[in-house]
Amino acid sequence: MKLIIEFHLIILKLKDMIILTTFKKSPKLAWLDLGNIPKKEELICEKCSKQVSFLMQIYAPIDEKEESFHRMIHIFCCKDPRCGYYIAIRTQLAQINDFYPIDADEKKYDQDYNDIYKNQLQSTKNRQNTCEYCGCFAKSNCSGCKKVHYCGKEHQQLDWQLGHSEQCKLLKDNNNNNNNNNNNNNNNNNNNNNNNNNNNNNIE
């Protein structure tokens, strides 16, 4: 109850500030459940039908509940102050999960260590990509650098104007350099193998 009251007080204090705020690019969202990221269709203002913007997030774990060891409240608001529309999304995870590591050194001598940690992969197989502009679920990536993801063409164009046009060139150049280095290493390995084979033939 205390958290809810404090949350409403924060919103009331911020409401007047939002009127004077110029929204460009949303700050980075720290989603907990990386396998269940909201889509932009789920973050629409009911009054103007436009996508709401990320405003703030509160880390509020509940130690007494195993499933709420990590708990975050994400707050979104409509860019149009006349709407006064907000959305609050809660995400939570247990201490042992598929996305974030825990301090394994404290548990490595436990009897059930192997059973617990064999699934503690921190792998990317269940992770969803997020939009570089708004932080929502991203279904496509930049066709140039292949590194940055977006929820749609609109946010891709906006992010391009905000600086990705330059960033894209750098990322693309880095990719090409890495590919060239890998090719050179492969060629060197092949040459070494050929030389070894020739030496073996000469010995015979």
Side-chain angles (χ1 to χ4, degrees), residues 112-128:
D112 56 351
Y113 172 85
N114 289 330
D115 292 334
I116 292 176
Y117 289 93
K118 67 181 180 181
N119 294 323
Q120 186 73 7
L121 303 176
Q122 294 111 47
S123 64
T124 58
K125 66 177 182 178
N126 294 323
R127 294 193 181 201
Q128 296 177 344

Side-chain angles (χ1 to χ4, degrees), residues 190-204:
N190 290 332
N191 290 333
N192 290 333
N193 291 332
N194 291 332
N195 290 333
N196 291 332
N197 292 331
N198 292 331
N199 291 334
N200 291 331
N201 291 331
N202 292 330
I203 292 173
E204 292 176 358

